[in-house]
Amino acid sequence: MRLRGKGLNLEALTESASYLIFGALLVRLTISGTYLNYVTPRMKPYLYGLSVLMFFWAAVSIRNLFRPRYKSRIKRCMVLILPILLLAVPPSSPAAGAMVKGGAGISRSTPVETTQDTTQASDEYAYYGQDTLEKPEDTLEEEQNYESQEAQPDTQAKTPPPGLNGLNNETKTITISDEDFSPWITELSNHPEAYDGYTVTLKGFVYLDLEDKKENEFAVVRLSMWCCSADLAPMGLVAVSNGKLPWGENSWITVTGKLAVKDGYATLEAEKIEAAEKPSEEYVYPYY
């Protein structure tokens, strides 16, 4: 009578094959850049490390290939088989603006004005008795620094954050590279008055799904990824063309124009619009 389980260990074979296929898929996705449909570039070294770990586990599991077991438990491999099926057919690249609505990352909203409560600071020390005690020197110094910062005019040219390139205060031009797209859009959105009248050049794709869109108005945007493709959102500047825009939505263009502040947000008055090639890395990563 032949005992069940003798011969090839089906469980070890399935487990080893799952590790091997999963590791190979991770390597393929990482090398081809398709992994960006799932995670940000910062995860690249971790994906390589996980691939090595999968290959190691495959080598360890295959040692049990000829150790028979009375009953194989293949269901335990489903934890790897399901991701393998999902990774085997990677999702297609999102169709630019077609997959996002609302334009939350576009410099469009009017900044909210806040009123500084000047009485709060003095009330904090009311219980000490203002006639007998004074505020600490460090508190007075902080208030003086704050007042000096508030006294600076909003139109004064600011020094951009470290590592931000493309600014020329002498010629009043800003050339935004692909690498600096996200930080520059953030800077121009937060401090539009500081760059009012500057000539800005940037590349992005045409985005037309704007709230209260006016005639000849469009946006030059890139898709911003915080975590994965599920949270992609448009990020860019609203622009106004002199005539009818010859490019349709999702077309990649390079725009040069004067930056103007309208209703509290930055608007690009386009002077030159040219067709552009899609960059090799079309997404931007705010905190990469």
Side-chain angles (χ1 to χ4, degrees):
M1 180 177 177
R2 184 179 180 185
L3 293 176
R4 292 183 60 188
K6 281 194 171 184
L8 197 65
N9 189 332
L10 186 59
E11 180 181 340
L13 177 63
T14 305
E15 186 174 348
S16 179
S18 298
Y19 290 140
L20 186 62
I21 295 174
F22 190 50
L25 284 174
L26 288 177
V27 171
R28 190 192 72 174
L29 292 175
T30 308
I31 294 177
S32 65
T34 316
Y35 75 99
L36 294 173
N37 290 326
Y38 303 95
V39 294
T40 59
R42 72 183 73 184
M43 299 301 296
K44 188 174 184 177
Y46 299 101
L47 292 178
Y48 278 125
L50 183 57
S51 302
V52 173
L53 182 61
M54 291 295 108
F55 293 143
F56 173 76
W57 281 350
V60 171
S61 298
I62 205 171
R63 295 187 307 172
N64 299 322
L65 187 60
F66 298 103
R67 292 180 182 178
R69 299 192 60 166
Y70 179 75
K71 185 177 180 180
S72 298
R73 295 176 296 175
I74 301 179
K75 289 183 179 180
R76 59 182 291 183
C77 299
M78 293 300 295
V79 70
L80 285 175
I81 293 176
L82 291 178
I84 287 174
L85 295 177
L86 293 175
L87 294 178
V89 184
S92 58
S93 298
M99 69 164 300
V100 286
K101 299 292 182 184
I106 302 174
S107 176
R108 182 73 176 181
S109 303
T110 304
V112 179
E113 295 183 359
T114 57
T115 304
Q116 179 72 22
D117 188 356
T118 56
T119 62
Q120 181 179 0
S122 59
D123 291 343
E124 292 178 357
Y125 300 92
Y127 66 93
Y128 286 117
Q130 295 182 355
D131 296 336
T132 57
L133 295 177
E134 297 181 353
K135 298 179 182 179
E137 293 183 0
D138 56 347
T139 303
L140 291 174
E141 184 178 353
E142 290 179 1
E143 291 183 354
Q144 292 174 357
N145 292 336
Y146 177 79
E147 291 175 357
S148 63
Q149 292 177 0
E150 288 292 318
Q152 295 181 357
D154 292 337
T155 56
Q156 180 180 357
K158 292 180 171 59
T159 301
L164 202 56
N165 304 311
L167 173 66
N168 191 325
N169 282 319
E170 295 182 0
T171 60
K172 299 189 70 173
T173 58
I174 302 173
T175 303
I176 301 177
S177 64
D178 292 338
E179 295 77 13
D180 292 328
F181 188 92
S182 176
W184 258 123
I185 295 301
T186 302
E187 175 71 10
L188 295 176
S189 300
N190 293 337
H191 310 289
E193 296 85 0
Y195 305 98
D196 190 12
Y198 276 59
T199 299
V200 179
T201 300
L202 76 161
K203 180 169 67 174
F205 64 82
V206 178
Y207 185 80
L208 300 177
D209 189 13
L210 300 174
E211 185 178 355
D212 299 328
K213 181 180 177 299
K214 301 177 182 178
E215 188 179 2
N216 299 335
E217 194 175 58
F218 65 100
V220 188
V221 305
R222 302 275 294 272
L223 290 181
S224 173
M225 179 190 288
W226 293 77
C227 172
C228 57
S229 59
D231 64 8
L232 288 173
M235 181 181 196
L237 293 177
V238 174
V240 179
S241 61
N242 296 326
K244 184 178 179 181
L245 189 67
W247 289 277
E249 191 166 26
N250 299 335
S251 299
W252 284 86
I253 58 175
T254 299
V255 181
T256 300
K258 292 283 186 182
L259 189 73
V261 181
K262 296 182 179 180
D263 299 328
Y265 61 86
T267 301
L268 196 61
E269 297 177 347
E271 299 174 348
K272 184 180 179 182
I273 305 177
E274 297 178 327
E277 296 238 350
K278 180 192 294 188
S280 57
E281 181 47 70
E282 56 183 300
Y283 303 151
V284 295
Y285 307 92
Y287 288 96
Y288 178 62

